[in-house]
Amino acid sequence: HADEPRAGRVPRDVLARERVDHDEAVWLTERILRDGSIDENERALLTYLRKEAPHIDPALEPAFKRASL
């Protein structure tokens, strides 16, 4: 059916309810910033999180700032 998600994909409404908690934000920030630059995949992830996540812990702000988001 057209309404069913493809195998391995999470429906958009489920993703929209996801939160980025403190531990996740710290983990992600450390990994994104460890090489000193942000590549296009990291920028795309940060852009998506900024747009879709209803709550993002402030610990992710350094990564957003580095990506100019």
Side-chain angles (χ1 to χ4, degrees):
H1 285 108
D3 294 341
E4 294 178 13
R6 286 191 233 166
R9 298 196 64 173
V10 179
R12 181 178 278 271
D13 63 319
V14 171
L15 290 174
R17 293 189 300 258
E18 288 298 315
R19 301 167 55 92
V20 179
D21 68 23
H22 180 74
D23 291 339
E24 293 167 332
V26 168
W27 182 88
L28 188 55
T29 298
E30 287 173 354
R31 274 142 191 85
I32 288 176
L33 298 181
R34 75 174 146 197
D35 69 357
S37 65
I38 295 181
D39 66 32
E40 68 180 81
N41 292 327
E42 292 165 336
R43 186 176 313 283
L45 173 60
L46 290 169
T47 299
Y48 177 81
L49 289 174
R50 179 71 90 191
K51 180 180 175 190
E52 299 292 338
H55 171 78
I56 300 170
D57 188 89
L60 195 53
E61 279 304 313
F64 285 126
K65 190 173 213 168
R66 177 73 59 86
S68 300
L69 297 175

